[in-house]
Amino acid sequence: MDVLYSSRPLWAVLVSMIAAFLILATGEKNRNIRESWTIMAAVAKFLIVFSMVPVILQGKVIEYTIVTFYPGLLLQFRIDAFGMLFGVIASSLWIATSFYSIGYVRGLNEHAQTRYFFAFAMCLSSTIGIAFSANLLTFLVFYEILTIATYPLVIHKESKEGIMGGRKYLAYTLTAGCVLLFAIAMIYHMTGTLDFKAGGFMADSGGSSAVLIMLFAMLIFGFGVKAGLMPMHEWLPTAMVAPTPVSALLHAVAVVKAGVFGCLRVILFVFGPGLLHDLGVWLIMAYIASFTIVVAGFLALGQDHLKRRLAFSTINNLAMIILGAALLTKSSMTGGIIHMANHAFMKITLFFCAGALHVKAHKDYVSQLDGIGRQMPLTMGAFAIAAIGLSGIPPMSGFISKWFLCLGALEANQIIFLFVFMTSAMLDVAFFFPIIYNSFFKKPLDDVTPHFDEAPMFMVIPLVITALLSIVFGIVPDAFFRFFSMTSLAVQNILGVG
Amino acid sequence: MAEQFAALIIVVPLIASLFVPVIGWWKKRLCYPWVVAVLIIPLISSLSILNTVMTTGKFSYRLAGWAPPWGIEYVLDHLSAFVLVIVSFISLMVAIYSKKSVQDNLPEKTVPFYTLFLLLVTGLMGIVITGDVFNLFVFLEISALSCYALIAIGEEGAPMAAFNYIIIGTIGACFYLLGIGYLYIATGSLNMADLANILPPLYDSKVILVAFAFFTVGLAVKAGLFPMHTWLPDAYCTAPSAVSALIAPLMTKVAAYVMIRLMFTVFQPHFSIEIVPVFTILGWLAVMAIVWGGIKALAQTDLKRMLVYVVVAEVGYIVIGVSVANRLGLTGAILHIMNDAVMMACLFLVTGAILYKTGTREIHQLSHLNKKMPFTMAAFTITALSMVGIPPACGFFSKWYLILGTIEAGQWFWAAALLCSSLINAVLFFRVIECAYLKPMEPAYAHDGGETIHEEIQRDEAPFTMLVPIVIMAAGVILLGIFSGKIISSVIQFAVPASF
Amino acid sequence: MLDYVISKYNFWIYIILMMIGLYAMIGKKNLVKKLIGMNIFQSAIILFYVSTGVKAGATVPILSGHGHGHGHEVIEVAKYINPLPHVLMLTAIVVSIATTGVAIATLILIYRKYNTLEEDEILMIRKETGV
C-alpha cells in the first residue's frame, strides 16, 4: 500500500485546537469575532480533511508521526478509507453545527458561551484525532481528550440535573478509559505493536483464547460505553440535559460515533474477522448488539421527552452499526460503515429540529407537538425526512444502509438478525411517525401559532441542508463526500487481508 | 567544567544560607532576591551536568581530591543528574513563589524561613548527588532537620505535627543509619560503587539481609509509604504554603530516589528481586497506600488536606513501579518521580495561592474561583486532569509505563490498584472543579456568597510572583507529557539498570 | 547459648537500649519523655557503631614512633582499633544533638500554645477548640 507522508492530518487536528484558544482569548466581549473563529476553523478543517479524500480513494494512506515514545509506541496519524470516512462526517457536520450553535445560543441567550465554543472546538479536534489515529495509543489519547472536552458541554446548564448528568457521564467514560488503558497495555505487552491493521493483528499474538476473549470484552466495554451499547448506555439519556447542539454533536458527530468507530476498529482492525470467527465471539457480540437494538427501540417508545426519545433511537442505531460489523460479512460491514455516515446526517437533523422547537416554541415533549408543523413547516418537514430515513424507507439514505445490513444477515446465514433489523425498522416507524402525524395533521394546541413562524435562519438552514443531504445520499450514495467509495474501499481492505 | 558544577550545587546554597541572616539583618526584603538568585546557580549547574552526562556518560567528583573509597565522592549518572534537575527546578520555582506567601504568613520569620529553605534544598540535592552511603545520611538529616523547623513555623497545630514528624523521622533515619552500620561491618566500605563491587559474594550473609531490611524500613518511613505515613498528612498540611509546596513534591520523591539507588545500584537488582522477597511486600504496601490514601482523600473537605493524602497515594505509584522490578515499571517509576513532582508542586502552589487570595481552603467555599482567578484555576484543572491520567498530560504516561510494568510482572492487582486510583482521583478533582467552576449546587452554601451571586464577579488573580511559577508548572505538565518519549529515550532508559 | 549471648553482648546491649528508647517514644504520653526516648534510641545506635570498631588486643589508633621520614615500618592494622566508626559517630552525635535542639524548640512552642506537654491533654484541647 502506498504511503504518503504529509503533515495535513496534524493540521486538521490542530486547526480547531488553535481556534479553541483563539476563542478563549477573544472572550465574551467580541462575540462576532469569537464566532468567526469557529466558522473559519470549521471550514478550514473541512477543506483540509476533504483535500485528502482523492488521495485516499486512490488506495493510498497518509501518515504522519507526531512523537515516538518508545519502540513500537508512537503518537501517529495514519488515514485509511475508514478513518477518512469518519473524518469527513465529523468535519462536514461541524460546519452545520457551528452555524446552528450560533443561532441556538444567541436565541436562548445562553451563559458561558465562550466556554461552550471552546469545548466544542476541542471536541472536534480530538474527534478528528480519533478518526486519523494510526494505533490504539493515539486513539486512546484523543479518546480521553474527547471525554474531558465534552464534560463542560454536558454540564453546560450548571443546574442540578446538569451536574448530576456530568458526573454520570464522567463515571461511565472514565471507568471505560481505565479499562481501555489496561487492555491496550496488555495488547502492547503481548504483541509489541498497537498499529491498526486492516483485518486485525491480534491473530499472531499467541495469546490463549481466554485471554483474547477477555481483551476483546474489555475493549468493547471501553468503547461500547461511549457507543451506548447496553447495558452501558445509561449515561446517554441522562446527558440529554445538555443544550441541543451538544446533543447533536454528542450523538451524530463526535462522542458516540467515536465509540462506535472504536468498536469497529477493534472488531475489524485489531482482532479482525478471521480471529473473531475462530474465537466465536462474533455471535455473542451480535446478540448483545441485537438486544440493544430491540430494547432501545422499545424504551424509545416510552419516552415523552423528545430528546430522550432521540437518545434511545441513537442507541438503537449505533447498535445496528456494531451488529453490521459483528456479522463479519461483506455486505453487513458495508451496511454498518455506511450507516455511520447516513445515521450521522439524519440524526443530526432530528436533533437540530428538536433544538429549533425548543428555541422557538419552547417545546420539549412529544405530547406538546400537536399542530406545530403549521407553525414551523421547514423544521418539521426536515424532521419528517430524517425520521422516515431512519426507518429505512427509500429514497432516504437510511434505506441503503438497512438494505446492506439485511443482505449481510442473510449472507451470514443468520435469519434471526434479519428479524432484528425488521423489528427495529418497525419500532422506528412506531416512535417517529406519531410525531410527524401529530405535528402536521392534528389540531394545533392553543399555544401554537397557526401561521409560518420559524426558528432563526441560523438554525433552520443547517437543518434543511442536512435533511436534503440525507435524501441525496439515498439516491446517489456516492455524492459529494464519496462515502460509498470510501466504505467499499475500507471493506475491501479488511476482507482483502483477512 | 561540569565537574566543578557538581560541587557548586551543594556549596552555593549551603554558603548562601549562612549569608541569609547577615543580609536579613541589614535589609530584610533583600532575602527574597538573594535566595532566588542563589537558586538559579544549582539549576544551571544541574542542567549543565545533565547535558554532560547525556553526551559523555557518568562522571564523578572527588570532594577535596580524596580518592574513593576513602574520600567522599559525588556521582553524576543519568539518574542522579535527572533528579537533580527536578529538585533544583522545583526549588527555584517555589522560591519565586514564596515572596507573597512569606510576607503575608510569616512576616517576622522571613530570615529563618529563607535560611532553612536553602538548607533544605542543600540537603535534598546532597542526597541525590552523593556517592557515599554515610554522607547520604548526613544530607538526609540536614534536609529533615530544616524540614522539621520549617513545618513548625506553620499554622495552628504545626508544632505538634512537627514534633511527631521529628520522632518518626528520626526513627527512620536511625534505621537507615543502622543499615549502614551492618553494611560497614560486613564490607568495610561506605562508598556506593565500592559496595556494589564487594557485596555480591556476600549476598547470602545474614548481616547483609539485616542491613537491607533496615534500609528498606528506614527509607519507607522517610518516603511516607503506608503504613509508615502517619506523620505525613499533619506535617504537610500544617506547614506554611511555600513549605508544603517544596516538601510535598520533593521529600518523598527524594526518599524514593534513594530507594531506587540502594536497591538497584548498591545492591544488584537480582539480590533485591530474587534473594529477598522485599518487592512483593513493598508492592502490596504500595497498593494499600494507593487505596488508603485515596479513601482518606475522599473524606476530606479541606483542599490541602486532600492533596496531602493524594501525596500518600502517589508514593504508592512510585513504589509499585520499583516493586515490579522490570525495565518498564522502573521507567514508569522514574518518570513518575518527575511528573509527580511537577504536578504536586503545581497543586500545592495553587492551593497556596487560593489560600492567599480567598483565605480559605474549604472545597465548598471555592465557588466562582474560575472568574476570580482564571489562570490559577486553569493551571489547577490541567494538573488535575493529569492526575486523573488524561493524555497528553504527563500523568498519563507515567501511569502507562507503570501499568505496562505490572502487566509484565503479572501483578494484576497492582494494575487494578493503579486504575482504581485514577478513578478515585477523578472523583477527588472533579469535585473541586465542580465547586470552583459551577454555581453552588446546594442552596445551603448560597448564604456564604449569596450576595455575590448576582453581582459581577471581579477578577482577583494571584500576584505575579505566584502566578508565574504556577503557569510554568502547568505548562510543564503538558510539555513533559508530550515530550515524555524524548525524556525516556535520552535520559531515563540509561538511568534504569542495564541488567534489566 | 549463653556463650552466644555473651560473645555478642554489644549487640544485645544496643538492642535492649534501642527497645527502651522505642518504648518511650511510642508508649509514653509525655512529649519530653518521648524526646528522651528518641535520645536513648540514637545513643544505642552510636554505642553499636563504636563497639564495632573494637578489635581484641588492639589499642587506640594513634600511631606512635613514626617520625617524619621514617615511614618504613609496616603498620599492623590488627593492632589498632578501627577509627572510622568513631568518626562517623562524631557526625551522628552532631546530628542527634541538632535534632534534639529542634525538638526542644518545638516543645517550647507546644508548651506556649497548650500550657502542657502531655499528649492526651493536648489532644483534648485540640478537640475542644476544634483544631
Side-chain angles (χ1 to χ4, degrees), chain A residues 69 73 141 144-145 148 151 155 158 163 167 170 174 178 181-182 185-186, chain B residues 385 390-391 397 400 403-404 407-408 412 419 426 430 434 438-439 484-485:
Chain A
F69 294 117
L73 210 58
V141 167
E144 294 275 33
I145 298 176
I148 296 303
Y151 174 73
I155 53 139
E158 299 186 12
I163 292 174
R167 283 185 191 170
L170 279 183
L174 287 178
C178 279
L181 178 62
F182 179 79
M186 194 73 195
Chain B
L385 292 180
I390 304 296
F397 292 98
W400 168 258
I403 285 176
L404 275 181
I407 287 176
E408 195 164 308
W412 310 112
L419 293 171
F430 273 100
E434 264 183 15
L438 307 179
K439 291 169 190 159
S484 66

mmCIF file of all heavy atoms in Angstrom, chain A residues 69 73 141 144-145 148 151 155 158 163 167 170 174 178 181-182 185-186, chain B residues 385 390-391 397 400 403-404 407-408 412 419 426 430 434 438-439 484-485:
data_model
loop_
_atom_site.group_PDB
_atom_site.id
_atom_site.type_symbol
_atom_site.label_atom_id
_atom_site.label_comp_id
_atom_site.label_asym_id
_atom_site.label_seq_id
_atom_site.Cartn_x
_atom_site.Cartn_y
_atom_site.Cartn_z
ATOM 1 N N PHE A 69 7.314 7.506 21.524
ATOM 2 C CA PHE A 69 7.551 7.406 22.962
ATOM 3 C C PHE A 69 8.556 6.322 23.281
ATOM 4 O O PHE A 69 9.373 6.455 24.166
ATOM 5 C CB PHE A 69 6.251 7.103 23.697
ATOM 6 C CG PHE A 69 5.269 8.207 23.600
ATOM 7 C CD1 PHE A 69 4.068 8.027 22.968
ATOM 8 C CD2 PHE A 69 5.565 9.439 24.138
ATOM 9 C CE1 PHE A 69 3.169 9.054 22.881
ATOM 10 C CE2 PHE A 69 4.672 10.475 24.044
ATOM 11 C CZ PHE A 69 3.467 10.277 23.411
ATOM 12 N N LEU A 73 5.830 2.359 20.061
ATOM 13 C CA LEU A 73 4.836 3.111 20.813
ATOM 14 C C LEU A 73 4.909 4.552 20.350
ATOM 15 O O LEU A 73 5.794 5.280 20.751
ATOM 16 C CB LEU A 73 5.196 3.020 22.294
ATOM 17 C CG LEU A 73 4.080 3.072 23.303
ATOM 18 C CD1 LEU A 73 3.105 1.965 23.046
ATOM 19 C CD2 LEU A 73 4.649 2.943 24.687
ATOM 20 N N VAL A 141 -5.399 8.354 23.432
ATOM 21 C CA VAL A 141 -5.061 9.726 23.815
ATOM 22 C C VAL A 141 -6.190 10.675 23.408
ATOM 23 O O VAL A 141 -6.712 11.437 24.233
ATOM 24 C CB VAL A 141 -3.731 10.145 23.157
ATOM 25 C CG1 VAL A 141 -3.533 11.634 23.275
ATOM 26 C CG2 VAL A 141 -2.575 9.412 23.781
ATOM 27 N N GLU A 144 -9.561 10.089 25.263
ATOM 28 C CA GLU A 144 -9.636 10.654 26.613
ATOM 29 C C GLU A 144 -9.795 12.168 26.560
ATOM 30 O O GLU A 144 -10.527 12.761 27.353
ATOM 31 C CB GLU A 144 -8.384 10.292 27.418
ATOM 32 C CG GLU A 144 -8.253 8.822 27.713
ATOM 33 C CD GLU A 144 -9.021 8.392 28.946
ATOM 34 O OE1 GLU A 144 -10.074 8.975 29.204
ATOM 35 O OE2 GLU A 144 -8.568 7.469 29.628
ATOM 36 N N ILE A 145 -9.105 12.787 25.611
ATOM 37 C CA ILE A 145 -9.273 14.240 25.480
ATOM 38 C C ILE A 145 -10.728 14.536 25.142
ATOM 39 O O ILE A 145 -11.336 15.479 25.676
ATOM 40 C CB ILE A 145 -8.347 14.807 24.387
ATOM 41 C CG1 ILE A 145 -6.895 14.568 24.758
ATOM 42 C CG2 ILE A 145 -8.577 16.294 24.214
ATOM 43 C CD1 ILE A 145 -5.934 15.024 23.688
ATOM 44 N N ILE A 148 -12.933 14.473 28.195
ATOM 45 C CA ILE A 148 -12.838 15.650 29.047
ATOM 46 C C ILE A 148 -13.426 16.874 28.349
ATOM 47 O O ILE A 148 -14.122 17.678 28.947
ATOM 48 C CB ILE A 148 -11.373 15.895 29.437
ATOM 49 C CG1 ILE A 148 -10.876 14.745 30.277
ATOM 50 C CG2 ILE A 148 -11.235 17.199 30.194
ATOM 51 C CD1 ILE A 148 -11.671 14.485 31.517
ATOM 52 N N TYR A 151 -17.114 17.137 28.695
ATOM 53 C CA TYR A 151 -17.683 17.357 30.032
ATOM 54 C C TYR A 151 -18.255 18.757 30.225
ATOM 55 O O TYR A 151 -19.406 18.901 30.661
ATOM 56 C CB TYR A 151 -16.627 17.018 31.089
ATOM 57 C CG TYR A 151 -17.029 17.328 32.494
ATOM 58 C CD1 TYR A 151 -17.967 16.552 33.153
ATOM 59 C CD2 TYR A 151 -16.494 18.423 33.172
ATOM 60 C CE1 TYR A 151 -18.351 16.845 34.444
ATOM 61 C CE2 TYR A 151 -16.876 18.720 34.454
ATOM 62 C CZ TYR A 151 -17.798 17.931 35.081
ATOM 63 O OH TYR A 151 -18.182 18.231 36.361
ATOM 64 N N ILE A 155 -22.353 19.553 31.217
ATOM 65 C CA ILE A 155 -22.800 20.266 32.413
ATOM 66 C C ILE A 155 -23.143 21.712 32.094
ATOM 67 O O ILE A 155 -23.311 22.522 33.005
ATOM 68 C CB ILE A 155 -21.725 20.257 33.516
ATOM 69 C CG1 ILE A 155 -20.408 20.764 32.956
ATOM 70 C CG2 ILE A 155 -21.560 18.887 34.108
ATOM 71 C CD1 ILE A 155 -19.681 21.653 33.866
ATOM 72 N N GLU A 158 -25.368 23.870 34.220
ATOM 73 C CA GLU A 158 -24.962 24.056 35.610
ATOM 74 C C GLU A 158 -26.128 23.915 36.567
ATOM 75 O O GLU A 158 -26.111 24.419 37.684
ATOM 76 C CB GLU A 158 -24.252 25.398 35.823
ATOM 77 C CG GLU A 158 -22.990 25.504 35.001
ATOM 78 C CD GLU A 158 -22.200 26.749 35.288
ATOM 79 O OE1 GLU A 158 -22.511 27.425 36.271
ATOM 80 O OE2 GLU A 158 -21.263 27.032 34.532
ATOM 81 N N ILE A 163 -25.315 18.852 36.495
ATOM 82 C CA ILE A 163 -24.126 18.408 37.206
ATOM 83 C C ILE A 163 -24.199 16.904 37.449
ATOM 84 O O ILE A 163 -23.215 16.185 37.277
ATOM 85 C CB ILE A 163 -23.969 19.197 38.517
ATOM 86 C CG1 ILE A 163 -23.631 20.646 38.171
ATOM 87 C CG2 ILE A 163 -22.899 18.594 39.372
ATOM 88 C CD1 ILE A 163 -23.589 21.563 39.333
ATOM 89 N N ARG A 167 -21.664 14.108 36.145
ATOM 90 C CA ARG A 167 -20.985 13.124 36.988
ATOM 91 C C ARG A 167 -21.164 11.716 36.436
ATOM 92 O O ARG A 167 -20.230 10.924 36.377
ATOM 93 C CB ARG A 167 -21.557 13.164 38.406
ATOM 94 C CG ARG A 167 -21.040 14.324 39.190
ATOM 95 C CD ARG A 167 -21.545 14.258 40.610
ATOM 96 N NE ARG A 167 -21.259 15.510 41.282
ATOM 97 C CZ ARG A 167 -21.748 15.829 42.457
ATOM 98 N NH1 ARG A 167 -22.564 15.010 43.078
ATOM 99 N NH2 ARG A 167 -21.445 16.980 43.009
ATOM 100 N N LEU A 170 -19.029 11.235 33.422
ATOM 101 C CA LEU A 170 -17.620 11.012 33.757
ATOM 102 C C LEU A 170 -17.414 9.636 34.343
ATOM 103 O O LEU A 170 -16.442 8.952 34.029
ATOM 104 C CB LEU A 170 -17.144 12.063 34.741
ATOM 105 C CG LEU A 170 -16.753 13.404 34.156
ATOM 106 C CD1 LEU A 170 -16.245 14.288 35.271
ATOM 107 C CD2 LEU A 170 -15.688 13.252 33.100
ATOM 108 N N LEU A 174 -14.862 7.591 32.246
ATOM 109 C CA LEU A 174 -13.521 7.459 32.817
ATOM 110 C C LEU A 174 -13.244 6.021 33.218
ATOM 111 O O LEU A 174 -12.121 5.530 33.072
ATOM 112 C CB LEU A 174 -13.343 8.402 34.006
ATOM 113 C CG LEU A 174 -13.215 9.872 33.631
ATOM 114 C CD1 LEU A 174 -13.090 10.724 34.871
ATOM 115 C CD2 LEU A 174 -12.024 10.109 32.732
ATOM 116 N N CYS A 178 -10.161 3.725 31.879
ATOM 117 C CA CYS A 178 -9.230 2.907 32.658
ATOM 118 C C CYS A 178 -9.162 1.498 32.103
ATOM 119 O O CYS A 178 -8.078 0.924 31.956
ATOM 120 C CB CYS A 178 -9.677 2.840 34.112
ATOM 121 S SG CYS A 178 -9.185 4.263 35.007
ATOM 122 N N LEU A 181 -7.224 1.522 28.969
ATOM 123 C CA LEU A 181 -5.792 1.687 29.215
ATOM 124 C C LEU A 181 -5.167 0.343 29.538
ATOM 125 O O LEU A 181 -4.128 -0.036 28.995
ATOM 126 C CB LEU A 181 -5.578 2.675 30.362
ATOM 127 C CG LEU A 181 -4.144 2.933 30.790
ATOM 128 C CD1 LEU A 181 -3.371 3.538 29.646
ATOM 129 C CD2 LEU A 181 -4.090 3.847 31.983
ATOM 130 N N PHE A 182 -5.850 -0.386 30.409
ATOM 131 C CA PHE A 182 -5.314 -1.690 30.796
ATOM 132 C C PHE A 182 -5.264 -2.633 29.599
ATOM 133 O O PHE A 182 -4.243 -3.272 29.335
ATOM 134 C CB PHE A 182 -6.158 -2.300 31.915
ATOM 135 C CG PHE A 182 -5.677 -3.638 32.344
ATOM 136 C CD1 PHE A 182 -4.597 -3.744 33.188
ATOM 137 C CD2 PHE A 182 -6.271 -4.794 31.883
ATOM 138 C CE1 PHE A 182 -4.123 -4.971 33.570
ATOM 139 C CE2 PHE A 182 -5.809 -6.031 32.253
ATOM 140 C CZ PHE A 182 -4.728 -6.123 33.107
ATOM 141 N N ALA A 185 -2.564 -1.671 27.182
ATOM 142 C CA ALA A 185 -1.243 -2.015 27.723
ATOM 143 C C ALA A 185 -1.003 -3.510 27.570
ATOM 144 O O ALA A 185 0.093 -3.956 27.218
ATOM 145 C CB ALA A 185 -1.149 -1.600 29.187
ATOM 146 N N MET A 186 -2.022 -4.257 27.832
ATOM 147 C CA MET A 186 -1.941 -5.720 27.725
ATOM 148 C C MET A 186 -1.618 -6.133 26.277
ATOM 149 O O MET A 186 -0.755 -6.981 26.041
ATOM 150 C CB MET A 186 -3.310 -6.256 28.141
ATOM 151 C CG MET A 186 -3.369 -7.710 28.409
ATOM 152 S SD MET A 186 -2.578 -8.126 29.935
ATOM 153 C CE MET A 186 -2.440 -9.877 29.657
ATOM 154 N N LEU B 385 -6.396 17.097 35.642
ATOM 155 C CA LEU B 385 -6.628 16.142 34.558
ATOM 156 C C LEU B 385 -5.427 15.228 34.399
ATOM 157 O O LEU B 385 -5.562 14.040 34.125
ATOM 158 C CB LEU B 385 -6.898 16.878 33.246
ATOM 159 C CG LEU B 385 -8.204 17.654 33.202
ATOM 160 C CD1 LEU B 385 -8.365 18.340 31.873
ATOM 161 C CD2 LEU B 385 -9.373 16.736 33.458
ATOM 162 N N ILE B 390 -5.364 11.854 32.117
ATOM 163 C CA ILE B 390 -5.866 12.186 30.790
ATOM 164 C C ILE B 390 -4.681 12.584 29.917
ATOM 165 O O ILE B 390 -3.938 13.498 30.272
ATOM 166 C CB ILE B 390 -6.853 13.369 30.865
ATOM 167 C CG1 ILE B 390 -7.998 13.071 31.817
ATOM 168 C CG2 ILE B 390 -7.377 13.718 29.484
ATOM 169 C CD1 ILE B 390 -8.875 11.941 31.384
ATOM 170 N N PRO B 391 -4.465 11.920 28.802
ATOM 171 C CA PRO B 391 -3.403 12.367 27.926
ATOM 172 C C PRO B 391 -3.785 13.688 27.271
ATOM 173 O O PRO B 391 -4.982 13.982 27.226
ATOM 174 C CB PRO B 391 -3.345 11.251 26.873
ATOM 175 C CG PRO B 391 -4.695 10.641 26.883
ATOM 176 C CD PRO B 391 -5.239 10.820 28.264
ATOM 177 N N PHE B 397 1.318 9.275 31.031
ATOM 178 C CA PHE B 397 2.418 8.473 30.523
ATOM 179 C C PHE B 397 3.093 7.679 31.631
ATOM 180 O O PHE B 397 3.456 6.531 31.431
ATOM 181 C CB PHE B 397 3.410 9.360 29.766
ATOM 182 C CG PHE B 397 2.794 9.888 28.512
ATOM 183 C CD1 PHE B 397 2.245 11.149 28.473
ATOM 184 C CD2 PHE B 397 2.695 9.088 27.402
ATOM 185 C CE1 PHE B 397 1.639 11.613 27.328
ATOM 186 C CE2 PHE B 397 2.086 9.540 26.254
ATOM 187 C CZ PHE B 397 1.557 10.811 26.217
ATOM 188 N N TRP B 400 0.927 4.852 32.234
ATOM 189 C CA TRP B 400 1.029 3.889 31.138
ATOM 190 C C TRP B 400 2.204 2.942 31.367
ATOM 191 O O TRP B 400 2.062 1.725 31.306
ATOM 192 C CB TRP B 400 1.166 4.659 29.828
ATOM 193 C CG TRP B 400 1.565 3.849 28.652
ATOM 194 C CD1 TRP B 400 2.798 3.777 28.096
ATOM 195 C CD2 TRP B 400 0.721 3.007 27.861
ATOM 196 N NE1 TRP B 400 2.779 2.935 27.006
ATOM 197 C CE2 TRP B 400 1.511 2.452 26.840
ATOM 198 C CE3 TRP B 400 -0.631 2.666 27.926
ATOM 199 C CZ2 TRP B 400 1.023 1.582 25.889
ATOM 200 C CZ3 TRP B 400 -1.124 1.794 26.965
ATOM 201 C CH2 TRP B 400 -0.308 1.266 25.966
ATOM 202 N N ILE B 403 1.648 0.664 34.370
ATOM 203 C CA ILE B 403 0.725 -0.435 34.108
ATOM 204 C C ILE B 403 1.385 -1.480 33.214
ATOM 205 O O ILE B 403 1.260 -2.683 33.457
ATOM 206 C CB ILE B 403 -0.584 0.109 33.509
ATOM 207 C CG1 ILE B 403 -1.368 0.766 34.631
ATOM 208 C CG2 ILE B 403 -1.399 -0.990 32.870
ATOM 209 C CD1 ILE B 403 -2.617 1.422 34.210
ATOM 210 N N LEU B 404 2.131 -1.014 32.224
ATOM 211 C CA LEU B 404 2.879 -1.978 31.408
ATOM 212 C C LEU B 404 3.797 -2.819 32.287
ATOM 213 O O LEU B 404 3.906 -4.033 32.107
ATOM 214 C CB LEU B 404 3.716 -1.243 30.369
ATOM 215 C CG LEU B 404 3.039 -0.861 29.072
ATOM 216 C CD1 LEU B 404 4.035 -0.170 28.163
ATOM 217 C CD2 LEU B 404 2.479 -2.074 28.373
ATOM 218 N N ILE B 407 1.845 -5.370 34.210
ATOM 219 C CA ILE B 407 1.390 -6.463 33.337
ATOM 220 C C ILE B 407 2.547 -7.415 33.064
ATOM 221 O O ILE B 407 2.396 -8.634 33.123
ATOM 222 C CB ILE B 407 0.838 -5.893 32.019
ATOM 223 C CG1 ILE B 407 -0.510 -5.241 32.266
ATOM 224 C CG2 ILE B 407 0.696 -6.984 30.972
ATOM 225 C CD1 ILE B 407 -1.083 -4.566 31.059
ATOM 226 N N GLU B 408 3.717 -6.822 32.815
ATOM 227 C CA GLU B 408 4.852 -7.685 32.522
ATOM 228 C C GLU B 408 5.192 -8.557 33.728
ATOM 229 O O GLU B 408 5.595 -9.696 33.580
ATOM 230 C CB GLU B 408 6.056 -6.835 32.116
ATOM 231 C CG GLU B 408 7.131 -7.661 31.456
ATOM 232 C CD GLU B 408 8.115 -6.784 30.726
ATOM 233 O OE1 GLU B 408 7.670 -5.949 29.924
ATOM 234 O OE2 GLU B 408 9.325 -6.908 30.980
ATOM 235 N N TRP B 412 -1.632 -8.461 38.604
ATOM 236 C CA TRP B 412 -2.889 -7.873 38.144
ATOM 237 C C TRP B 412 -3.500 -6.953 39.173
ATOM 238 O O TRP B 412 -4.089 -5.932 38.837
ATOM 239 C CB TRP B 412 -3.874 -8.971 37.767
ATOM 240 C CG TRP B 412 -3.249 -9.956 36.862
ATOM 241 C CD1 TRP B 412 -2.952 -11.246 37.131
ATOM 242 C CD2 TRP B 412 -2.781 -9.722 35.524
ATOM 243 N NE1 TRP B 412 -2.337 -11.831 36.050
ATOM 244 C CE2 TRP B 412 -2.225 -10.930 35.058
ATOM 245 C CE3 TRP B 412 -2.783 -8.611 34.681
ATOM 246 C CZ2 TRP B 412 -1.673 -11.060 33.796
ATOM 247 C CZ3 TRP B 412 -2.240 -8.747 33.418
ATOM 248 C CH2 TRP B 412 -1.694 -9.948 32.983
ATOM 249 N N LEU B 419 -5.344 1.576 38.353
ATOM 250 C CA LEU B 419 -6.502 2.038 37.590
ATOM 251 C C LEU B 419 -7.555 2.632 38.515
ATOM 252 O O LEU B 419 -8.129 3.685 38.233
ATOM 253 C CB LEU B 419 -7.093 0.871 36.799
ATOM 254 C CG LEU B 419 -6.194 0.348 35.685
ATOM 255 C CD1 LEU B 419 -6.747 -0.929 35.109
ATOM 256 C CD2 LEU B 419 -6.050 1.395 34.601
ATOM 257 N N ALA B 426 -10.216 11.018 39.847
ATOM 258 C CA ALA B 426 -11.230 11.715 39.057
ATOM 259 C C ALA B 426 -12.308 12.272 39.974
ATOM 260 O O ALA B 426 -12.697 13.439 39.862
ATOM 261 C CB ALA B 426 -11.840 10.759 38.037
ATOM 262 N N PHE B 430 -12.596 16.272 40.259
ATOM 263 C CA PHE B 430 -13.774 16.861 39.641
ATOM 264 C C PHE B 430 -14.686 17.483 40.685
ATOM 265 O O PHE B 430 -15.417 18.420 40.397
ATOM 266 C CB PHE B 430 -14.509 15.838 38.784
ATOM 267 C CG PHE B 430 -13.959 15.787 37.403
ATOM 268 C CD1 PHE B 430 -13.088 14.804 37.008
ATOM 269 C CD2 PHE B 430 -14.270 16.791 36.505
ATOM 270 C CE1 PHE B 430 -12.546 14.796 35.751
ATOM 271 C CE2 PHE B 430 -13.742 16.788 35.230
ATOM 272 C CZ PHE B 430 -12.880 15.791 34.853
ATOM 273 N N GLU B 434 -15.843 21.104 40.027
ATOM 274 C CA GLU B 434 -17.269 21.457 40.057
ATOM 275 C C GLU B 434 -17.508 22.647 40.972
ATOM 276 O O GLU B 434 -18.191 23.597 40.603
ATOM 277 C CB GLU B 434 -18.087 20.276 40.584
ATOM 278 C CG GLU B 434 -18.678 19.398 39.515
ATOM 279 C CD GLU B 434 -19.524 18.289 40.114
ATOM 280 O OE1 GLU B 434 -19.884 18.373 41.308
ATOM 281 O OE2 GLU B 434 -19.821 17.337 39.392
ATOM 282 N N LEU B 438 -18.567 25.828 38.787
ATOM 283 C CA LEU B 438 -20.010 25.864 38.593
ATOM 284 C C LEU B 438 -20.665 26.631 39.724
ATOM 285 O O LEU B 438 -20.068 26.901 40.754
ATOM 286 C CB LEU B 438 -20.553 24.438 38.540
ATOM 287 C CG LEU B 438 -19.845 23.562 37.518
ATOM 288 C CD1 LEU B 438 -20.413 22.176 37.535
ATOM 289 C CD2 LEU B 438 -19.962 24.154 36.140
ATOM 290 N N LYS B 439 -21.890 26.949 39.497
ATOM 291 C CA LYS B 439 -22.645 27.638 40.543
ATOM 292 C C LYS B 439 -22.779 26.708 41.735
ATOM 293 O O LYS B 439 -22.846 25.503 41.577
ATOM 294 C CB LYS B 439 -24.038 27.966 40.019
ATOM 295 C CG LYS B 439 -24.056 29.009 38.950
ATOM 296 C CD LYS B 439 -25.441 29.048 38.339
ATOM 297 C CE LYS B 439 -25.428 29.911 37.098
ATOM 298 N NZ LYS B 439 -26.561 29.595 36.223
ATOM 299 N N SER B 484 7.541 13.162 26.752
ATOM 300 C CA SER B 484 7.967 12.073 27.630
ATOM 301 C C SER B 484 8.794 11.042 26.866
ATOM 302 O O SER B 484 9.724 10.469 27.417
ATOM 303 C CB SER B 484 6.751 11.418 28.285
ATOM 304 O OG SER B 484 5.968 10.790 27.305
ATOM 305 N N GLY B 485 8.453 10.847 25.597
ATOM 306 C CA GLY B 485 9.232 9.893 24.815
ATOM 307 C C GLY B 485 10.679 10.312 24.705
ATOM 308 O O GLY B 485 11.607 9.522 24.845
#
